[in-house]
């Protein structure tokens, strides 16, 4: 997501007449910060250091008339100055989420659908939607009366169902025209979440976004975060913004062939792949949390990364194999071998330096167990 600044007026629910001017700054690596020219709440119990003023929502209207809803708000600073012109106050509030384009007055924010764009998604999808044809002569030159054409064919939308949730891979094209000079088509791809029920709470969408984020990160083998999130409420398009701090920079010059796999590898069973990923995200949550926590964090030491990945492998084994390394029959054979090996005379096993001897019998025994 890109940084953005909003200038406008802000007020608490039901207190439009007590609105204050201020500037809202969004940064993808920090909580959104609203700097107000006054205080929205001057109750004495919230102006000292003992209590912090919090509110579930703050409404705003930017200077260009766009409505905004801030969610999960907490006052971070409050200042009072006495001057010859009287008492002056200013304050700063941090917010967890921004709904850009809508005043959500109901208690719990909810969306009808949501679409998310991720880095590299166009390269990963590689949907063949552009048809190009060029008429040239034998030397490859374009002459008068020759024709050139580029057409965009809207692709079929691949989608999969996860219980009552439809997940789609959607591509769209924007046409930019400069008369008599140039025409361009910019392609965008995004994941669309379309529940088969109305007004699903934001908290559920955040969980789905997280699962899709991990899916794209796994497929591209790169740490990614949503570039843009656009929802729909009663037919109104609403931009959702929130910080994704701590995610390492994946870079911009990435060759598609460096991906772990792309859409065409799973195109024939895309619905099953998406459904299985959502199921696996619940069943293997401890494993995926360790793996993606290591992949995303740029401030993690190498030793910690190694230990986290080792723990992820061990957790995966225990969750999928019940902690067993062999079948019961094979394990009994392994156990008996190690008992025999360990109960031998230490002088026959260890040399004087304490290192394990590479005896022929020990090596052959281990080789037999591998087979």
């Amino acid at each position: 997501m890109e940084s953005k600044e909003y200038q406008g007026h802000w007020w608490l629910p039901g207190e439009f007449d007590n609105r204050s001017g201020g500037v809202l700054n969004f940064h993808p690596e920090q909580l959104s910060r609203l700097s107000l020219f006054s205080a929205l709440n001057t109750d004495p119990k919230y102006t000292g250091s003992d209590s912090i003023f919090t509110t579930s929502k703050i409404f705003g209207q930017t200077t260009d008339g766009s409505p905004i809803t801030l969610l999960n708000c907490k006052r971070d600073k409050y200042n009072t100055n006495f001057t010859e012109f009287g008492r002056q106050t200013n304050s700063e509030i941090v917010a967890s989420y921004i709904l850009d384009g809508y005043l959500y007055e109901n208690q719990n924010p909810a969306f009808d659908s949501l679409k998310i764009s991720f880095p590299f998604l166009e390269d990963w999808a590689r949907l063949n939607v552009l048809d190009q044809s060029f008429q040239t002569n034998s030397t490859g030159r374009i002459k008068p009366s020759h024709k050139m054409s580029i057409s965009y064919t809207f692709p079929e939308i691949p989608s999969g169902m996860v219980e009552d949730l439809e997940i789609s891979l959607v591509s769209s094209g924007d046409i930019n025209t400069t008369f008599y000079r140039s025409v361009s088509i910019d392609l965008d791809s995004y994941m669309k979440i379309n529940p088969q029920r109305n007004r699903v709470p934001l908290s559920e969408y955040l969980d789905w976004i997280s699962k899709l984020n991990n899916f794209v990160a796994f497929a591209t083998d790169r740490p990614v975060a949503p570039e843009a999130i656009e929802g729909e409420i009663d037919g109104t398009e609403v931009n959702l913004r929130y910080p994704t701090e701590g995610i390492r920079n994946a870079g911009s010059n990435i060759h598609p062939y460096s991906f772990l796999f792309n859409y065409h590898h799973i195109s024939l069973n895309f619905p099953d792949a998406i459904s299985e990923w959502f199921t696996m995200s619940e069943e293997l949550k401890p494993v995926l949390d360790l793996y993606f926590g290591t992949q995303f964090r740029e401030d993690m030491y190498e030793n910690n990364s190694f230990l986290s990945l080792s723990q992820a492998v061990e957790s995966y084994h225990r969750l999928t194999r019940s902690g067993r390394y062999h079948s019961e029959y094979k394990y009994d054979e392994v156990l008996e071998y190690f008992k025999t090996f360990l109960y031998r005379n230490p002088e026959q096993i260890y040399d004087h330096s304490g290192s394990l001897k590479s005896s022929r019998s020990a090596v052959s025994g281990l080789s037999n167990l591998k087979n």
Side-chain angles (χ1 to χ4, degrees), residues 36-308:
L36 296 169
F37 304 146
S38 63
L40 295 180
N41 185 302
T42 57
D43 190 323
K45 70 179 181 180
Y46 295 124
T47 56
S49 58
D50 296 334
S51 300
I52 298 177
F53 173 66
T54 61
T55 178
S56 61
K57 294 187 187 71
I58 291 178
F59 297 139
Q61 186 175 40
T62 64
T63 52
D64 61 2
S66 178
I68 290 181
T69 303
L70 305 182
L71 304 177
N72 298 348
C73 307
K74 179 178 72 173
R75 186 153 62 201
D76 187 48
K77 294 182 181 180
Y78 178 87
N79 298 312
T80 299
N81 297 314
F82 293 92
T83 68
E84 59 180 314
F85 301 105
R87 179 183 179 184
Q88 296 181 348
T89 63
N90 60 79
S91 60
E92 292 188 7
I93 292 176
V94 292
S96 300
Y97 303 96
I98 298 176
L99 302 184
D100 181 359
Y102 199 87
L103 293 182
Y104 202 96
E105 299 181 350
N106 292 343
Q107 183 176 1
N108 296 316
F111 291 87
D112 298 321
S113 64
L114 211 66
K115 57 184 183 182
I116 314 103
S117 61
F118 294 101
F120 319 124
L121 195 57
E122 287 81 12
D123 292 325
W124 180 80
R126 298 171 64 186
L127 298 176
N128 296 323
V129 295
L130 286 178
D131 298 319
Q132 307 176 41
S133 65
F134 304 92
Q135 185 178 5
T136 61
N137 60 15
S138 59
T139 62
R141 295 181 177 276
I142 299 174
K143 297 294 185 179
S145 77
H146 282 176
K147 295 182 179 180
M148 303 173 60
S149 67
I150 301 176
S151 64
Y152 173 85
T153 303
F154 195 83
E156 295 185 7
I157 300 177
S159 63
M161 296 297 299
V162 182
E163 296 180 352
D164 64 344
L165 183 68
E166 183 182 21
I167 306 293
S168 305
L169 173 61
V170 181
S171 179
S172 63
D174 294 327
I175 301 176
N176 301 299
T177 303
T178 301
F179 289 107
Y180 310 115
R181 296 187 63 184
S182 63
V183 176
S184 65
I185 302 177
D186 296 326
L187 299 182
D188 294 312
S189 296
Y190 54 87
M191 293 287 193
K192 184 175 182 179
I193 303 175
N194 186 27
Q196 304 303 295
R197 49 194 167 101
N198 296 326
R199 289 300 179 89
V200 177
L202 174 61
S203 58
E204 293 190 43
Y205 278 103
L206 293 176
D207 179 61
W208 298 331
I209 292 172
S210 177
K211 290 182 172 65
L212 287 177
N213 197 130
N214 289 344
F215 175 81
V216 176
F218 182 70
T220 60
D221 196 26
R222 298 290 186 279
V224 299
E227 288 185 319
I229 303 175
E230 185 179 286
E232 183 175 310
I233 305 176
D234 289 336
T236 300
E237 293 184 352
V238 183
N239 291 307
L240 172 64
R241 293 186 170 88
Y242 58 86
T244 56
E245 68 271 22
I247 293 183
R248 73 171 82 234
N249 186 0
S252 56
N253 297 321
I254 304 297
H255 198 285
Y257 287 104
S258 67
F259 296 157
L260 186 62
F261 64 92
N262 59 45
Y263 166 70
H264 293 282
H265 288 112
I266 61 171
S267 59
L268 297 180
N269 60 345
F270 178 79
D272 294 335
I274 287 294
S275 178
E276 184 64 25
W277 180 264
F278 270 63
T279 300
M280 186 178 66
S281 296
E282 295 295 334
E283 296 177 349
L284 300 180
K285 189 176 186 304
V287 179
L288 297 180
D289 287 347
L290 286 167
Y291 172 74
F292 289 113
T294 303
Q295 186 186 37
F296 287 169
R297 303 297 299 187
E298 63 180 352
D299 55 355
M300 183 177 289
Y301 291 113
E302 288 187 4
N303 287 346
N304 291 341
S305 297
F306 174 79
L307 292 173
S308 293

Side-chain angles (χ1 to χ4, degrees), residues 323-343 362 364-371:
R324 294 182 177 181
Y325 293 92
H326 293 284
S327 65
E328 291 185 7
Y329 172 78
K330 190 67 175 177
Y331 179 74
D332 290 339
E333 182 181 346
V334 174
L335 181 62
E336 288 302 319
Y337 172 80
F338 277 106
K339 283 182 179 180
T340 302
F341 181 80
L342 294 175
Y343 291 162
S364 62
L366 291 172
S367 299
N368 291 334
L369 287 175
K370 292 179 181 179
N371 298 328

Side-chain angles (χ1 to χ4, degrees), residues 338 341-359 362:
F338 277 106
F341 181 80
L342 294 175
Y343 291 162
R344 290 169 58 187
N345 186 337
E347 292 295 331
Q348 297 176 332
I349 303 175
Y350 299 96
D351 61 21
H352 295 290
S353 65
S355 62
L356 186 63
K357 284 186 176 180
S358 179
S359 65

